[in-house]
């Protein structure tokens, strides 16, 4: 084998493909997780005891079990019912279900952080509960929720590496392919670490920028 063939640069397509998969999984999961998180947070904050209980149970269970186990459970569990469930779909489902539980808590604490005095003031001005939420609580809560959602995005870029265990071709999985092909353990990992860091660092700087803009409005 020529040494030229062993240089990491000649495996750039693997890394490129891995980045693509990692970003797809992260973006789709953060969107689904956000929608799920809103639903769960409303269920948890609401007065319906059954819905409240279900939301609490879901959130606690998801946060109390490892993402790796959840990913494998969805892949083999749903895979047993629906034959040939693509690993990518299983990965996205599992990461989304996981993210929803964390996002629910972000939204709940964002809403609960708005002082009760705000609600009381709005209600005493004659606003309905719906109006109070819509015009007083939510606009203020969003300021707290938005940065935390950005953090969730960053978390998922890193944590989505776990889907490599079911063979989804994300960045971590591609790294392992390059390791096998080159018989090199460290170099592919070093490259991958730098890639993950560039992704999360860029995103975090970008989010800070928008956050700064929001504050000046
Ligand atoms: N490492 C965590 C676990 O194994 C996953 C955390 C996922 N976090 C999140 N914000 N979605 O359970």
């Amino acid at each position: 084998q020529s040494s030229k063939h062993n240089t990491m640069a000649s495996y750039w397509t693997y890394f490129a493909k891995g980045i693509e998969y990692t970003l797809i999984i992260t973006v789709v999961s953060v969107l689904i997780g956000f929608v799920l998180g809103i639903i769960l947070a409303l269920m948890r904050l609401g007065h319906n005891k059954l819905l409240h209980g279900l939301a609490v149970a879901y959130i606690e269970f998801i946060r109390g079990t490892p993402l790796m186990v959840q990913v494998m459970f969805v892949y083999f569990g749903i895979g047993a019912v629906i034959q040939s469930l693509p690993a990518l779909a299983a990965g996205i489902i599992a990461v989304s279900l996981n993210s929803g539980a964390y996002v629910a808590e972000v939204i709940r604490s964002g809403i609960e952080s708005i002082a009760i005095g705000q609600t009381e003031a709005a209600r005493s001005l004659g606003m309905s509960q719906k109006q109070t939420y819509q015009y007083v609580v939510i606009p203020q809560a969003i300021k707290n929720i938005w940065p935390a959602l950005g953090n969730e995005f960053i978390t998922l870029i890193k944590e989505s590496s776990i889907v490599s265990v079911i063979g989804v071709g994300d960045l971590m999985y591609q790294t392992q392919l390059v390791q096998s092909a080159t018989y090199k353990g460290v170099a592919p990992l070093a490259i991958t670490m730098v890639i993950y860091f560039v992704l999360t660092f860029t995103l975090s700087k970008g989010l800070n920028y928008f956050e700064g803009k929001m504050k000046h409005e």
Side-chain angles (χ1 to χ4, degrees):
Q1 214 174 10
S2 73
S3 67
K4 185 168 179 288
H5 218 82
N6 265 333
T7 61
M8 286 303 131
S10 58
Y11 287 91
W12 72 271
T13 51
Y14 286 71
F15 294 106
K17 199 169 173 201
I19 293 169
E20 190 187 327
Y21 270 81
T22 289
L23 289 179
I24 288 171
I25 296 161
T26 303
V27 170
V28 176
S29 299
V30 96
L31 291 176
I32 301 176
F34 180 52
V35 174
L36 185 60
I38 291 175
I39 295 169
L40 286 165
L42 293 179
M43 283 168 68
R44 184 161 189 174
L45 287 167
H47 296 299
N48 184 312
K49 286 236 161 63
L50 176 67
L51 293 182
H52 173 87
L54 284 174
V56 170
Y58 180 86
I59 292 165
E60 296 304 328
F61 187 75
I62 293 287
R63 297 202 310 165
T65 53
L67 178 58
M68 185 190 270
V69 180
Q70 294 162 9
V71 165
M72 296 181 85
F73 189 81
V74 167
Y75 184 53
F76 295 111
I78 300 184
V81 183
I82 303 166
Q83 297 295 318
S84 73
L85 174 74
L88 176 63
I92 289 175
I93 291 170
V95 175
S96 303
L97 291 176
N98 177 279
S99 186
Y102 286 88
V103 171
E105 289 299 88
V106 162
I107 293 174
R108 180 176 71 101
S109 60
I111 288 175
E112 284 179 343
S113 72
I114 303 309
I116 188 75
Q118 296 278 325
T119 302
E120 288 166 355
R123 294 308 297 272
S124 69
L125 287 171
M127 285 191 177
S128 68
Q129 183 165 6
K130 183 160 174 275
Q131 286 173 324
T132 303
Y133 250 70
Q134 191 176 345
Y135 299 114
V136 178
V137 176
I138 300 295
Q140 299 184 78
I142 285 175
K143 290 213 170 80
N144 303 332
I145 293 171
W146 164 253
L149 282 181
N151 288 340
E152 177 67 12
F153 200 133
I154 292 168
T155 299
L156 289 191
I157 288 183
K158 297 182 289 174
E159 297 285 338
S160 65
S161 57
I162 287 172
V163 301
S164 60
V165 299
I166 56 168
V168 179
D170 77 317
L171 182 54
M172 190 59 215
Y173 184 79
Q174 303 294 338
T175 307
Q176 289 166 347
L177 292 185
V178 177
Q179 284 180 312
S180 317
T182 57
Y183 299 103
K184 287 198 167 109
V186 181
L189 282 174
I191 291 171
T192 293
M193 270 197 199
V194 171
I195 294 174
Y196 273 118
F197 180 71
V198 169
L199 291 177
T200 57
F201 192 72
T202 311
L203 187 62
S204 122
K205 287 291 154 207
L207 290 166
N208 284 346
Y209 177 76
F210 282 114
E211 216 179 298
K213 279 203 143 181
M214 263 179 47
K215 283 210 182 96
H216 293 298
E217 269 167 18

